Amino acid sequence: MSENPDRRSHFHRKSATAVGEVRTGRRPTVSKPRVCIRVVSSSKMECEWKPDEQGLQQILQLLKESQSPDTSTQRSVQQRLEQLNQYPDFNNYLIFVLTKLKSEDEPTRSLSGLILKNNVKAHYQNFPNGVSDFIKSECLQNIGDSSPLIRATVGILITTIASKGELQNWPELLPKLCLLLDSEDYNTCEGAFGALQKICEDSAEILDSDMLDRPLNIMIPKFLQFFKHSSPKIRSHAIACVNQFIISRTQALMLHIDPFIENLFALATDEEPEVRKNVCRALVMLLEVRLDRLLPHMHNIIEYMLQRTQDQDENVALEACEFWLTLAEQPVCKEVLCGHLSQLTPVLVNGMKYSEIDIILLKGDIEEDEAIPDNEQDIRPRFHRSRTVAQQHEGDGIEEDEDEDDELDDDDDTISDWNLRKCSAAALDVLANVFRDDLLLHILPLLKELLFHPEWVVKESGILVLGAIAEGCMQGMIPYLPELIPHLVQCLSDKKALVRSITCWTLSRYAHWVVSQPPDTYLKPLMTELLKRILDSNKRVQEAACSAFATLEEEACTELVPYLAFILDTLVFAFSKYQHKNLLILYDAIGTLADSVGHHLNKPEYIQMLMPPLIQKWNQLKDEDKDLFPLLECLSSVATALQSGFLPYCEPVYQRCVNLVQKTLAQAMLHQSQPDQYEAPDKDFMIVALDLLSGLAEGLGGTIEQLVARSNILTLMYQCMQDKMPEVRQSSFALLGDLTKACFQHVKPCIADFMPILGTNLNPELISVCNNATWAIGEISIQMGPEMQPYIAMVLHQLVEIINRPNTPKTLLENTAITIGRLGYVCPQEVAPMLQQFIRPWCSSLRNIRDNEEKDSAFRGICTMISVNPGGVVQDFIFFCDAVASWVNPKEDLRDMFYKILHGFKNQVGEENWRRFSDQFPLPLKERLATFYGV
């Protein structure tokens, strides 16, 4: 029952969960229990406290029962424990069992301590003084218990009390623990160190503050003394304690940084794996915060980390492997590592093989498992990403701010989340991005051997290597791809499921290149084989193939149109075949297909194939089922793509979405007024429903008008726009913009209520909320025309501030520029006076956008404002010229507006000045303006 003693420090990717937590439920309202606990006045005289024998036996009985695997027994134990909390000295009994009742077995004593720990967490402020003092003194007296389990439990109890703000009210704790470190008795020293390590983990910030008179000034030099202790456990505790203060650059540690590093080097080859692991962890963190101190020794550190990455103990190897990931982020990486690549590359590649234990955990020997239902625990919770409105750019689809899930996490997700294989692959990926094609000198000779190796484990690792270097070494890989891609396509039918699944992922990393070649050469064979893998008899392969296919869809877009019938056939067949977990990924593949081919999906025969299974699932799922998230996301993409083709399904889908929003809002209000009676709702239901409504409005346009007229969606939207949760506001602003475009007659009566809310959400700290609010204001202004005038003051200053902010993301800049342009188009007199404050960033942010309606209205606005306030553009006229030249094909009347402004400016300054001015232009700009506008 002990808690996991190796609690990861905060910088680590995956935090380990604490075991041994005792479940605590809400206090049920049941009649008082019949437990005889003698209530003792909470006098300060702890020494006088004695348990009542009968009460003690009942508590021991409870502790025994709580170890029963039966859930109903556990539930009743839980209720009785909660009731016992009403007795002031119940906690005295718990500490008594932990520290004094040596006759009991250790698991029972430890459990008593962990229940006490939970009580401390929940109710410590209500403990009478006598009880808390008794607990504290018992803890300090028993920190050296002869049992490691009891010592660890006492340590956990101490740090829990300390983290309840008690470090200030327990002034003797730290000095006493530091004093116990010097004890001759090993158990006492180890117990005190264990407790200190937990306190350093949980209360690092407070330890380094003036509140406690900076105890670290004494503690850190003290810890350093123990780096040379004869016991490996104590050496390990000492490093772990100091390690807590590296990332925060704690002053007390920085003063002793050189002795700390010297001591680390002295322990580099310690025989105890836990010590080596902590040494590696320290060096990885120092690399981030004190590179200056490591640089003089960098050659030796790299040599050392190379050895440790091959350590016999996988935990040490994993910790060392983090070093390469962290080093890759440092500017010095190339310089300090280039001489070691020939040694490092084979080490990382070797770490990418599955270990025997991995293969057992992955059930790697089971090839066919498609008929086995999923274990519900294995299905990761899905979080919905709210809708963000973005602009289209030259030569691509929609720009996303975040990298999609294209990282090295696409295989073996059931093993402990982060392991040596994943870390090695991630390190190779980032190093490929640093060294680019220089890495290939070292990788290619290894790859030849791996990819054609007779042992499947080795071959599989080679395919993973090929995927890991795809992004960084793409240029250098191109000459080999005509040979490699067909080989990989063959590997898709390997007899080992784990080889088939990793091949799906690696091929998806090269999808961009595949799509750039003539379709019959690689795209068609790849697609044919991937579709077969989508129907594989192994669930892991189905999952990998579905994900890879979604990536291929994003890259190929309309290239897939000729194969749509074939693709839909497969995806629809998978519906009947898939277990729960993969169904969720299948929704994503269908949604991505709809996003990629758009209106090409709107053919009766495709709709007939696709919609029945989707609607069948939609009807099966209850409103509380979280599987609605991916299905609603998928339907949102499908509705947008099908446009009028979605009409027959529109009404029930629309109605249910409105109901989901209404239900969630109602539940939230109940929770707010009576939090004890009603649970908080999961607002993701509302967010996904709002996003699907957006998809319907975008896909169906004006035909959604009657549905909006017959529902209370605008009232609901008004509430959502004021929700505390940013994602709810973000999705409601996207819907507002889409409804404004689709049926403004229903939105217009609410504008006076909506505009102030939009104004207060122009806060660039919440990028996506701000982005969608900005976009919605632009759409509203186009519909309102001159009637927008009363609202300009509510929003203009914030928009101008955002467009001038450094480091504003591209999507937000573009939407802000478009909205400012649109406001100026409908109300030039109000916006033009501020022209000089935004014209430069305005022009810079719109020069890369494709010609489209939004760009058109924004440029009409800027031209209108220039005619009202020509002086506002004079200083930055070159930027305006550049922005005008970004148009490929403006409408005739817009081209005239540009022509008039350019010639007006030229005539005003005179031929000679214009020549001097236009000589500053880059040549392509000069030629373009001369060709299109004759200036």
Side-chain angles (χ1 to χ4, degrees), residues 382-535:
R382 287 210 33 173
F383 302 103
H384 171 66
R385 278 230 314 242
S386 315
R387 202 173 169 99
T388 310
V389 188
Q391 294 304 320
Q392 295 244 314
H393 292 78
E394 283 311 323
D396 66 16
I398 295 282
E399 279 272 315
E400 282 288 348
D401 281 343
E402 304 103 320
D403 285 340
E404 288 294 327
D405 345 302
D406 188 26
E407 69 249 24
L408 291 152
D409 204 21
D410 289 77
D411 58 319
D412 47 270
D413 54 347
T414 42
I415 326 179
S416 75
D417 268 337
W418 191 241
N419 55 20
L420 184 60
R421 168 185 162 93
K422 288 196 167 183
C423 190
S424 305
L428 193 61
D429 182 10
V430 290
L431 290 170
N433 277 299
V434 172
F435 288 96
R436 301 284 165 183
D437 297 346
D438 296 349
L439 189 68
L440 289 180
L441 294 173
H442 311 285
I443 288 271
L444 286 173
L446 299 171
L447 265 177
K448 283 201 179 78
E449 197 183 317
L450 299 172
L451 288 171
F452 300 93
H453 202 282
E455 275 182 59
W456 76 265
V457 178
V458 180
K459 176 175 164 181
E460 192 278 345
S461 71
I463 298 171
L464 173 59
V465 169
L466 196 55
I469 60 171
E471 194 185 335
C473 304
M474 183 57 92
Q475 277 320 103
M477 284 305 295
I478 287 175
Y480 305 97
L481 293 179
E483 195 185 331
L484 275 174
I485 297 293
H487 174 65
L488 286 172
V489 170
Q490 267 185 314
C491 294
L492 283 174
S493 36
D494 193 278
K495 61 180 200 301
K496 292 301 291 183
L498 288 172
V499 173
R500 298 197 299 277
S501 63
I502 198 64
T503 306
C504 291
W505 178 75
T506 291
L507 277 163
S508 75
R509 301 269 287 180
Y510 290 97
H512 186 73
W513 180 82
V514 167
V515 170
S516 70
Q517 303 301 303
D520 284 355
T521 331
Y522 306 105
L523 177 61
K524 207 169 167 186
L526 168 58
M527 193 173 60
T528 311
E529 283 307 307
L530 260 186
L531 288 170
K532 287 184 195 161
R533 293 293 65 86
I534 284 178
L535 302 178

Side-chain angles (χ1 to χ4, degrees), residues 330-343:
Q330 307 301 323
V332 297
C333 176
K334 212 165 182 171
E335 183 190 330
V336 298
L337 202 53
C338 59
H340 302 270
L341 276 186
S342 56
Q343 296 160 278

